[in-house]
Amino acid sequence: MFRGNHPARMDEKGRLKLPAEFKRRIDEQYGAQFYITSKDGKVAEIHPLQEWEKFEQKLAAIPNFNPAKKKLLDRLNYYGQMAEMDAQGRVLLPQILRESAKVTGDVVVFGMQTYLEVANHEAFKKNMDENPLTPEDEQALAGFGL
Amino acid sequence: MFRGNHPARMDEKGRLKLPAEFKRRIDEQYGAQFYITSKDGKVAEIHPLQEWEKFEQKLAAIPNFNPAKKKLLDRLNYYGQMAEMDAQGRVLLPQILRESAKVTGDVVVFGMQTYLEVANHEAFKKNMDENPLTPEDEQALAGFGL
DNA sequence: TCCACTTTCAACCACTTTCGACCACCTCAT
DNA sequence: ATGAGGTGGTCGAAAGTGGTTGAAAGTGGA
């Protein structure tokens, strides 16, 4: 389970050094293969292949003509690329995603349970501030027993 | 399972080099035979013959007088053509489809589970931006356990 | 209907470019 | 001072690109 945030840097070749704490977890639980993608082009998601395949299973069960699936799949594939971690614990982020999500220079990496997210610091903070948790959101969560 | 995007180029002869990652998967799981077609004339689809035949099975089960089937079949056949991959991993896209989908010069190839899609980069991005995932879409997906 | 000519394209060859694997060094905290 | 975390750079294999050619398909004329 990944949790918490770590500041990190993208080098000029588009390589992201995974924070040591995450790397440790990856080494012991997963392999060095990842699927890197985004649902909206604004935040990059780094999924251990193993976890991603579970998600693909669920997705494959939905008919291809379902419009919501098609939209989602278009995005996941448009931004997505396989990547492998090198011995130094770095992964190459897809160029299309780096540009789209503006992840260059100083970024934030954080753990989202089964995967990592990489975001432009300011953009992420701004988005959070503009979209606070509403009472309706809390209602919905309460419905799940939280 | 094909996934993710790869930038690619169409040469002046209309040949598309399949990205190495996809070619590898094709070599090990499928043969070099493809059915290339489109549902809308805007995005080219490259189906390994083996997978396409499965789709044809499902299609065959729908009554011929079903108007939606007729429409779909008209399009699939209008744009469709068989193609074979050469030793360098290139396929010739049907001219009618190249013009219709405007896939010339720089394009994007991406994996859509069982097949590949080839699209004009700008046109595809534009279409995505104009048709974002709505809250209703997300609701629908949540209904499938995603 | 058959033959001659034209056009197309699949198969092959040769060259260029890219990037991922690896190495070496720097920095910082203890 | 030492070891772990982080960074920059290189180099060769693999990926990608352009061009040529011969066989086959297509076309038209007698």
Tab-separated table of all heavy atoms in Angstrom, chain A residues 1-6 8 16-26 30 34-39 43-49 51-52 85 89 91 93 97 108-119 124:
chain	number	residue	atom	x	y	z
A	1	MET	N	0.842	-1.205	0.000
A	1	MET	CA	0.000	0.000	0.000
A	1	MET	C	0.877	1.255	0.000
A	1	MET	O	1.665	1.484	0.911
A	1	MET	CB	-0.892	-0.027	1.255
A	1	MET	CG	-2.060	0.892	1.215
A	1	MET	SD	-3.335	0.394	0.048
A	1	MET	CE	-4.406	-0.614	1.087
A	2	PHE	N	0.732	2.087	-1.043
A	2	PHE	CA	1.496	3.333	-1.109
A	2	PHE	C	0.718	4.444	-0.412
A	2	PHE	O	-0.487	4.572	-0.587
A	2	PHE	CB	1.706	3.760	-2.563
A	2	PHE	CG	2.454	2.761	-3.404
A	2	PHE	CD1	1.829	2.110	-4.456
A	2	PHE	CD2	3.792	2.489	-3.141
A	2	PHE	CE1	2.519	1.202	-5.242
A	2	PHE	CE2	4.495	1.576	-3.924
A	2	PHE	CZ	3.850	0.929	-4.970
A	3	ARG	N	1.426	5.242	0.357
A	3	ARG	CA	0.754	6.396	0.977
A	3	ARG	C	1.732	7.547	1.163
A	3	ARG	O	2.946	7.350	1.174
A	3	ARG	CB	0.148	5.993	2.329
A	3	ARG	CG	1.155	5.652	3.393
A	3	ARG	CD	0.465	5.421	4.737
A	3	ARG	NE	-0.191	4.120	4.805
A	3	ARG	CZ	0.431	2.970	5.157
A	3	ARG	NH1	1.715	2.980	5.451
A	3	ARG	NH2	-0.230	1.830	5.211
A	4	GLY	N	1.185	8.746	1.304
A	4	GLY	CA	2.005	9.911	1.611
A	4	GLY	C	2.650	10.561	0.402
A	4	GLY	O	2.602	10.035	-0.703
A	5	ASN	N	3.245	11.736	0.601
A	5	ASN	CA	3.839	12.473	-0.515
A	5	ASN	C	5.345	12.619	-0.385
A	5	ASN	O	5.889	12.596	0.728
A	5	ASN	CB	3.189	13.861	-0.604
A	5	ASN	CG	3.829	14.830	0.364
A	5	ASN	OD1	4.853	15.431	0.063
A	5	ASN	ND2	3.254	14.959	1.551
A	6	HIS	N	6.004	12.784	-1.505
A	6	HIS	CA	7.448	13.022	-1.551
A	6	HIS	C	7.745	14.022	-2.651
A	6	HIS	O	7.273	13.853	-3.774
A	6	HIS	CB	8.203	11.727	-1.862
A	6	HIS	CG	8.177	10.742	-0.746
A	6	HIS	ND1	9.146	10.692	0.227
A	6	HIS	CD2	7.277	9.785	-0.435
A	6	HIS	CE1	8.856	9.729	1.083
A	6	HIS	NE2	7.722	9.150	0.711
A	8	ALA	N	9.992	15.463	-5.596
A	8	ALA	CA	10.932	14.782	-6.501
A	8	ALA	C	11.262	15.701	-7.662
A	8	ALA	O	10.675	16.777	-7.799
A	8	ALA	CB	10.330	13.481	-7.003
A	16	LEU	N	12.035	10.160	-13.998
A	16	LEU	CA	11.625	10.482	-12.636
A	16	LEU	C	12.236	9.473	-11.669
A	16	LEU	O	12.067	8.269	-11.818
A	16	LEU	CB	10.104	10.418	-12.512
A	16	LEU	CG	9.544	10.616	-11.096
A	16	LEU	CD1	9.620	12.073	-10.682
A	16	LEU	CD2	8.113	10.102	-11.014
A	17	LYS	N	12.948	9.991	-10.684
A	17	LYS	CA	13.515	9.120	-9.646
A	17	LYS	C	12.404	8.830	-8.644
A	17	LYS	O	11.874	9.749	-8.021
A	17	LYS	CB	14.669	9.860	-8.962
A	17	LYS	CG	15.290	9.124	-7.783
A	17	LYS	CD	16.398	8.207	-8.228
A	17	LYS	CE	17.141	7.603	-7.042
A	17	LYS	NZ	16.311	6.654	-6.279
A	18	LEU	N	12.064	7.563	-8.491
A	18	LEU	CA	11.030	7.221	-7.518
A	18	LEU	C	11.592	7.385	-6.114
A	18	LEU	O	12.712	6.942	-5.832
A	18	LEU	CB	10.554	5.786	-7.730
A	18	LEU	CG	9.904	5.504	-9.083
A	18	LEU	CD1	9.498	4.039	-9.188
A	18	LEU	CD2	8.711	6.406	-9.337
A	19	PRO	N	10.841	8.041	-5.222
A	19	PRO	CA	11.311	8.223	-3.853
A	19	PRO	C	11.677	6.871	-3.239
A	19	PRO	O	11.013	5.871	-3.496
A	19	PRO	CB	10.094	8.843	-3.156
A	19	PRO	CG	9.340	9.521	-4.247
A	19	PRO	CD	9.545	8.665	-5.461
A	20	ALA	N	12.739	6.873	-2.436
A	20	ALA	CA	13.299	5.635	-1.899
A	20	ALA	C	12.255	4.781	-1.177
A	20	ALA	O	12.252	3.556	-1.314
A	20	ALA	CB	14.460	5.960	-0.968
A	21	GLU	N	11.361	5.429	-0.444
A	21	GLU	CA	10.360	4.666	0.307
A	21	GLU	C	9.457	3.867	-0.625
A	21	GLU	O	9.147	2.700	-0.353
A	21	GLU	CB	9.506	5.634	1.149
A	21	GLU	CG	8.485	4.938	2.019
A	21	GLU	CD	7.639	5.946	2.801
A	21	GLU	OE1	8.167	7.017	3.151
A	21	GLU	OE2	6.450	5.646	3.032
A	22	PHE	N	9.064	4.502	-1.739
A	22	PHE	CA	8.226	3.804	-2.718
A	22	PHE	C	9.021	2.724	-3.430
A	22	PHE	O	8.527	1.629	-3.677
A	22	PHE	CB	7.650	4.795	-3.737
A	22	PHE	CG	6.646	5.763	-3.156
A	22	PHE	CD1	6.477	7.024	-3.715
A	22	PHE	CD2	5.856	5.404	-2.062
A	22	PHE	CE1	5.546	7.917	-3.199
A	22	PHE	CE2	4.924	6.300	-1.533
A	22	PHE	CZ	4.766	7.559	-2.093
A	23	LYS	N	10.268	3.054	-3.751
A	23	LYS	CA	11.107	2.075	-4.447
A	23	LYS	C	11.252	0.807	-3.603
A	23	LYS	O	11.193	-0.305	-4.119
A	23	LYS	CB	12.483	2.657	-4.754
A	23	LYS	CG	13.380	1.652	-5.489
A	23	LYS	CD	14.696	2.245	-5.932
A	23	LYS	CE	15.467	1.270	-6.818
A	23	LYS	NZ	15.719	-0.045	-6.191
A	24	ARG	N	11.448	0.986	-2.321
A	24	ARG	CA	11.598	-0.155	-1.425
A	24	ARG	C	10.367	-1.068	-1.501
A	24	ARG	O	10.471	-2.272	-1.670
A	24	ARG	CB	11.808	0.347	0.012
A	24	ARG	CG	13.043	-0.232	0.677
A	24	ARG	CD	13.327	0.429	2.019
A	24	ARG	NE	13.939	1.740	1.866
A	24	ARG	CZ	13.463	2.874	2.381
A	24	ARG	NH1	12.336	2.865	3.081
A	24	ARG	NH2	14.094	4.002	2.201
A	25	ARG	N	9.221	-0.438	-1.409
A	25	ARG	CA	7.962	-1.204	-1.477
A	25	ARG	C	7.824	-1.917	-2.819
A	25	ARG	O	7.398	-3.067	-2.893
A	25	ARG	CB	6.782	-0.243	-1.254
A	25	ARG	CG	5.441	-0.824	-1.491
A	25	ARG	CD	4.498	-0.604	-0.321
A	25	ARG	NE	4.868	-1.307	0.886
A	25	ARG	CZ	4.938	-0.758	2.102
A	25	ARG	NH1	4.689	0.518	2.275
A	25	ARG	NH2	5.271	-1.487	3.148
A	26	ILE	N	8.202	-1.231	-3.888
A	26	ILE	CA	8.118	-1.816	-5.230
A	26	ILE	C	9.042	-3.024	-5.344
A	26	ILE	O	8.647	-4.073	-5.847
A	26	ILE	CB	8.478	-0.753	-6.300
A	26	ILE	CG1	7.322	0.246	-6.424
A	26	ILE	CG2	8.775	-1.400	-7.637
A	26	ILE	CD1	7.706	1.555	-7.073
A	30	TYR	N	6.484	-5.783	-5.966
A	30	TYR	CA	6.180	-5.782	-7.394
A	30	TYR	C	7.450	-5.948	-8.203
A	30	TYR	O	8.540	-5.949	-7.663
A	30	TYR	CB	5.504	-4.455	-7.775
A	30	TYR	CG	4.272	-4.118	-6.976
A	30	TYR	CD1	4.328	-3.167	-5.962
A	30	TYR	CD2	3.066	-4.753	-7.232
A	30	TYR	CE1	3.189	-2.843	-5.236
A	30	TYR	CE2	1.930	-4.445	-6.506
A	30	TYR	CZ	1.989	-3.479	-5.508
A	30	TYR	OH	0.873	-3.164	-4.785
A	34	PHE	N	6.005	-1.049	-15.187
A	34	PHE	CA	4.891	-0.162	-14.854
A	34	PHE	C	4.071	0.187	-16.075
A	34	PHE	O	4.559	0.147	-17.197
A	34	PHE	CB	5.415	1.155	-14.275
A	34	PHE	CG	6.212	0.965	-13.042
A	34	PHE	CD1	7.587	0.806	-13.120
A	34	PHE	CD2	5.607	0.896	-11.796
A	34	PHE	CE1	8.340	0.601	-11.979
A	34	PHE	CE2	6.344	0.693	-10.660
A	34	PHE	CZ	7.717	0.538	-10.744
A	35	TYR	N	2.826	0.538	-15.806
A	35	TYR	CA	2.034	1.180	-16.854
A	35	TYR	C	1.766	2.583	-16.351
A	35	TYR	O	1.206	2.778	-15.276
A	35	TYR	CB	0.725	0.438	-17.105
A	35	TYR	CG	-0.030	1.018	-18.284
A	35	TYR	CD1	0.561	1.043	-19.541
A	35	TYR	CD2	-1.297	1.549	-18.142
A	35	TYR	CE1	-0.099	1.584	-20.629
A	35	TYR	CE2	-1.967	2.090	-19.243
A	35	TYR	CZ	-1.361	2.093	-20.471
A	35	TYR	OH	-2.015	2.634	-21.553
A	36	ILE	N	2.227	3.575	-17.130
A	36	ILE	CA	2.086	4.965	-16.731
A	36	ILE	C	1.027	5.605	-17.602
A	36	ILE	O	1.082	5.505	-18.826
A	36	ILE	CB	3.423	5.700	-16.878
A	36	ILE	CG1	4.475	4.982	-16.031
A	36	ILE	CG2	3.283	7.158	-16.464
A	36	ILE	CD1	5.831	5.623	-16.038
A	37	THR	N	0.025	6.239	-16.980
A	37	THR	CA	-1.059	6.806	-17.767
A	37	THR	C	-1.739	7.935	-17.018
A	37	THR	O	-1.217	8.431	-16.009
A	37	THR	CB	-2.074	5.718	-18.159
A	37	THR	OG1	-3.028	6.245	-19.064
A	37	THR	CG2	-2.790	5.133	-16.941
A	38	SER	N	-2.899	8.356	-17.531
A	38	SER	CA	-3.659	9.419	-16.896
A	38	SER	C	-5.108	9.327	-17.360
A	38	SER	O	-5.379	8.906	-18.480
A	38	SER	CB	-3.082	10.768	-17.303
A	38	SER	OG	-3.876	11.818	-16.793
A	39	LYS	N	-6.030	9.693	-16.500
A	39	LYS	CA	-7.439	9.678	-16.898
A	39	LYS	C	-7.844	11.011	-17.506
A	39	LYS	O	-8.834	11.103	-18.212
A	39	LYS	CB	-8.342	9.382	-15.684
A	39	LYS	CG	-8.183	7.978	-15.128
A	39	LYS	CD	-9.199	7.730	-14.015
A	39	LYS	CE	-8.920	6.396	-13.335
A	39	LYS	NZ	-7.662	6.407	-12.548
A	43	VAL	N	-2.803	14.635	-14.265
A	43	VAL	CA	-2.003	13.982	-13.236
A	43	VAL	C	-1.537	12.642	-13.785
A	43	VAL	O	-2.343	11.875	-14.320
A	43	VAL	CB	-2.840	13.759	-11.952
A	43	VAL	CG1	-2.020	13.028	-10.903
A	43	VAL	CG2	-3.350	15.082	-11.402
A	44	ALA	N	-0.224	12.387	-13.689
A	44	ALA	CA	0.304	11.117	-14.177
A	44	ALA	C	0.134	10.037	-13.127
A	44	ALA	O	0.362	10.286	-11.939
A	44	ALA	CB	1.777	11.285	-14.539
A	45	GLU	N	-0.254	8.843	-13.559
A	45	GLU	CA	-0.412	7.714	-12.643
A	45	GLU	C	0.602	6.639	-13.001
A	45	GLU	O	0.717	6.265	-14.155
A	45	GLU	CB	-1.821	7.118	-12.777
A	45	GLU	CG	-2.939	8.109	-12.537
A	45	GLU	CD	-4.317	7.490	-12.808
A	45	GLU	OE1	-4.392	6.296	-13.139
A	45	GLU	OE2	-5.312	8.228	-12.699
A	46	ILE	N	1.319	6.158	-11.995
A	46	ILE	CA	2.306	5.097	-12.224
A	46	ILE	C	1.806	3.821	-11.561
A	46	ILE	O	1.818	3.713	-10.335
A	46	ILE	CB	3.668	5.497	-11.636
A	46	ILE	CG1	4.091	6.848	-12.215
A	46	ILE	CG2	4.710	4.424	-11.890
A	46	ILE	CD1	5.446	7.320	-11.724
A	47	HIS	N	1.367	2.863	-12.371
A	47	HIS	CA	0.815	1.619	-11.838
A	47	HIS	C	1.788	0.467	-11.988
A	47	HIS	O	2.245	0.208	-13.107
A	47	HIS	CB	-0.457	1.240	-12.607
A	47	HIS	CG	-1.548	2.247	-12.512
A	47	HIS	ND1	-2.614	2.090	-11.664
A	47	HIS	CD2	-1.759	3.421	-13.157
A	47	HIS	CE1	-3.433	3.134	-11.797
A	47	HIS	NE2	-2.934	3.958	-12.686
A	48	PRO	N	2.082	-0.252	-10.898
A	48	PRO	CA	2.827	-1.503	-11.074
A	48	PRO	C	2.013	-2.395	-12.018
A	48	PRO	O	0.784	-2.480	-11.872
A	48	PRO	CB	2.858	-2.098	-9.675
A	48	PRO	CG	2.678	-0.936	-8.761
A	48	PRO	CD	1.790	0.020	-9.497
A	49	LEU	N	2.682	-3.001	-12.990
A	49	LEU	CA	1.982	-3.764	-14.031
A	49	LEU	C	0.982	-4.753	-13.445
A	49	LEU	O	-0.151	-4.878	-13.915
A	49	LEU	CB	3.001	-4.499	-14.908
A	49	LEU	CG	2.422	-5.234	-16.120
A	49	LEU	CD1	1.577	-4.318	-16.981
A	49	LEU	CD2	3.521	-5.862	-16.945
A	51	GLU	N	-0.708	-4.648	-10.724
A	51	GLU	CA	-1.950	-4.022	-10.273
A	51	GLU	C	-2.785	-3.556	-11.460
A	51	GLU	O	-4.007	-3.661	-11.459
A	51	GLU	CB	-1.660	-2.821	-9.366
A	51	GLU	CG	-1.033	-3.163	-8.034
A	51	GLU	CD	-2.023	-3.852	-7.077
A	51	GLU	OE1	-3.238	-3.859	-7.359
A	51	GLU	OE2	-1.554	-4.402	-6.065
A	52	TRP	N	-2.083	-3.061	-12.466
A	52	TRP	CA	-2.795	-2.549	-13.631
A	52	TRP	C	-3.587	-3.651	-14.333
A	52	TRP	O	-4.700	-3.446	-14.796
A	52	TRP	CB	-1.824	-1.904	-14.625
A	52	TRP	CG	-2.541	-1.321	-15.792
A	52	TRP	CD1	-2.577	-1.821	-17.056
A	52	TRP	CD2	-3.363	-0.149	-15.800
A	52	TRP	NE1	-3.369	-1.028	-17.848
A	52	TRP	CE2	-3.865	-0.006	-17.101
A	52	TRP	CE3	-3.718	0.785	-14.828
A	52	TRP	CZ2	-4.709	1.051	-17.461
A	52	TRP	CZ3	-4.560	1.833	-15.179
A	52	TRP	CH2	-5.047	1.960	-16.489
A	85	MET	N	11.652	0.427	-14.626
A	85	MET	CA	12.498	1.152	-13.690
A	85	MET	C	13.951	0.724	-13.907
A	85	MET	O	14.223	-0.465	-14.052
A	85	MET	CB	12.049	0.802	-12.274
A	85	MET	CG	12.744	1.560	-11.180
A	85	MET	SD	11.946	1.275	-9.572
A	85	MET	CE	12.327	-0.454	-9.269
A	89	GLY	N	16.420	3.238	-9.916
A	89	GLY	CA	15.046	3.529	-9.476
A	89	GLY	C	14.374	4.654	-10.236
A	89	GLY	O	13.519	5.337	-9.695
A	91	VAL	N	12.135	6.014	-13.687
A	91	VAL	CA	11.276	5.630	-14.817
A	91	VAL	C	11.142	6.799	-15.778
A	91	VAL	O	11.182	7.955	-15.368
A	91	VAL	CB	9.860	5.204	-14.372
A	91	VAL	CG1	9.896	3.880	-13.643
A	91	VAL	CG2	9.205	6.274	-13.524
A	93	LEU	N	8.874	8.958	-18.027
A	93	LEU	CA	7.460	9.269	-18.226
A	93	LEU	C	7.200	9.570	-19.700
A	93	LEU	O	8.025	10.201	-20.349
A	93	LEU	CB	7.037	10.490	-17.401
A	93	LEU	CG	7.085	10.422	-15.875
A	93	LEU	CD1	6.125	11.444	-15.276
A	93	LEU	CD2	6.731	9.047	-15.345
A	97	LEU	N	2.537	12.851	-21.907
A	97	LEU	CA	1.977	13.050	-20.575
A	97	LEU	C	2.730	14.126	-19.805
A	97	LEU	O	2.147	14.916	-19.065
A	97	LEU	CB	2.015	11.714	-19.824
A	97	LEU	CG	1.233	11.593	-18.526
A	97	LEU	CD1	-0.151	12.193	-18.645
A	97	LEU	CD2	1.139	10.143	-18.122
A	108	VAL	N	5.575	16.624	-7.324
A	108	VAL	CA	5.236	15.874	-6.115
A	108	VAL	C	4.796	14.483	-6.523
A	108	VAL	O	4.056	14.319	-7.484
A	108	VAL	CB	4.067	16.535	-5.344
A	108	VAL	CG1	3.960	15.925	-3.955
A	108	VAL	CG2	4.246	18.024	-5.242
A	109	VAL	N	5.293	13.489	-5.806
A	109	VAL	CA	4.881	12.109	-6.053
A	109	VAL	C	4.124	11.656	-4.829
A	109	VAL	O	4.596	11.838	-3.707
A	109	VAL	CB	6.101	11.178	-6.208
A	109	VAL	CG1	5.659	9.753	-6.526
A	109	VAL	CG2	7.039	11.702	-7.271
A	110	PHE	N	2.931	11.112	-5.000
A	110	PHE	CA	2.299	10.564	-3.821
A	110	PHE	C	1.625	9.224	-4.032
A	110	PHE	O	1.294	8.852	-5.158
A	110	PHE	CB	1.367	11.554	-3.117
A	110	PHE	CG	0.528	12.381	-4.012
A	110	PHE	CD1	-0.750	11.996	-4.301
A	110	PHE	CD2	1.033	13.559	-4.522
A	110	PHE	CE1	-1.536	12.787	-5.120
A	110	PHE	CE2	0.249	14.346	-5.332
A	110	PHE	CZ	-1.036	13.955	-5.633
A	111	GLY	N	1.503	8.530	-2.933
A	111	GLY	CA	1.009	7.155	-2.967
A	111	GLY	C	-0.495	7.119	-2.894
A	111	GLY	O	-1.087	7.748	-2.029
A	112	MET	N	-1.128	6.395	-3.831
A	112	MET	CA	-2.586	6.274	-3.857
A	112	MET	C	-2.971	4.806	-3.714
A	112	MET	O	-3.579	4.224	-4.608
A	112	MET	CB	-3.132	6.807	-5.185
A	112	MET	CG	-2.876	8.264	-5.416
A	112	MET	SD	-3.843	9.316	-4.318
A	112	MET	CE	-5.474	9.163	-5.061
A	113	GLN	N	-2.591	4.222	-2.612
A	113	GLN	CA	-2.881	2.802	-2.344
A	113	GLN	C	-2.130	1.882	-3.299
A	113	GLN	O	-1.039	1.432	-2.980
A	113	GLN	CB	-4.384	2.547	-2.369
A	113	GLN	CG	-5.122	3.479	-1.420
A	113	GLN	CD	-6.568	3.055	-1.213
A	113	GLN	OE1	-6.901	2.482	-0.185
A	113	GLN	NE2	-7.405	3.322	-2.195
A	114	THR	N	-2.717	1.611	-4.490
A	114	THR	CA	-2.082	0.640	-5.390
A	114	THR	C	-1.195	1.262	-6.464
A	114	THR	O	-0.607	0.547	-7.260
A	114	THR	CB	-3.146	-0.211	-6.106
A	114	THR	OG1	-3.996	0.672	-6.846
A	114	THR	CG2	-3.980	-0.991	-5.097
A	115	TYR	N	-1.152	2.585	-6.530
A	115	TYR	CA	-0.315	3.219	-7.545
A	115	TYR	C	0.216	4.553	-7.054
A	115	TYR	O	-0.134	4.996	-5.953
A	115	TYR	CB	-1.098	3.395	-8.855
A	115	TYR	CG	-2.282	4.332	-8.777
A	115	TYR	CD1	-2.159	5.673	-9.153
A	115	TYR	CD2	-3.516	3.889	-8.329
A	115	TYR	CE1	-3.245	6.540	-9.097
A	115	TYR	CE2	-4.607	4.745	-8.257
A	115	TYR	CZ	-4.469	6.069	-8.642
A	115	TYR	OH	-5.531	6.918	-8.570
A	116	LEU	N	1.077	5.170	-7.867
A	116	LEU	CA	1.639	6.468	-7.502
A	116	LEU	C	1.085	7.545	-8.425
A	116	LEU	O	0.782	7.278	-9.586
A	116	LEU	CB	3.166	6.437	-7.657
A	116	LEU	CG	3.911	5.358	-6.871
A	116	LEU	CD1	5.399	5.434	-7.188
A	116	LEU	CD2	3.665	5.509	-5.388
A	117	GLU	N	0.960	8.733	-7.911
A	117	GLU	CA	0.568	9.863	-8.750
A	117	GLU	C	1.711	10.871	-8.787
A	117	GLU	O	2.380	11.086	-7.782
A	117	GLU	CB	-0.698	10.547	-8.208
A	117	GLU	CG	-1.980	9.833	-8.598
A	117	GLU	CD	-3.221	10.674	-8.327
A	117	GLU	OE1	-3.109	11.802	-7.827
A	117	GLU	OE2	-4.315	10.167	-8.643
A	118	VAL	N	1.901	11.487	-9.961
A	118	VAL	CA	2.913	12.525	-10.117
A	118	VAL	C	2.215	13.770	-10.624
A	118	VAL	O	1.514	13.713	-11.628
A	118	VAL	CB	3.993	12.140	-11.135
A	118	VAL	CG1	5.120	13.155	-11.117
A	118	VAL	CG2	4.519	10.755	-10.858
A	119	ALA	N	2.397	14.883	-9.929
A	119	ALA	CA	1.708	16.100	-10.341
A	119	ALA	C	2.586	17.323	-10.197
A	119	ALA	O	3.533	17.357	-9.412
A	119	ALA	CB	0.441	16.281	-9.510
A	124	PHE	N	-1.720	21.109	-8.702
A	124	PHE	CA	-2.465	20.149	-7.879
A	124	PHE	C	-3.115	20.831	-6.677
A	124	PHE	O	-4.282	20.604	-6.367
A	124	PHE	CB	-1.527	19.034	-7.405
A	124	PHE	CG	-2.260	17.898	-6.765
A	124	PHE	CD1	-2.829	16.902	-7.543
A	124	PHE	CD2	-2.405	17.834	-5.382
A	124	PHE	CE1	-3.531	15.854	-6.957
A	124	PHE	CE2	-3.107	16.796	-4.792
A	124	PHE	CZ	-3.660	15.807	-5.582
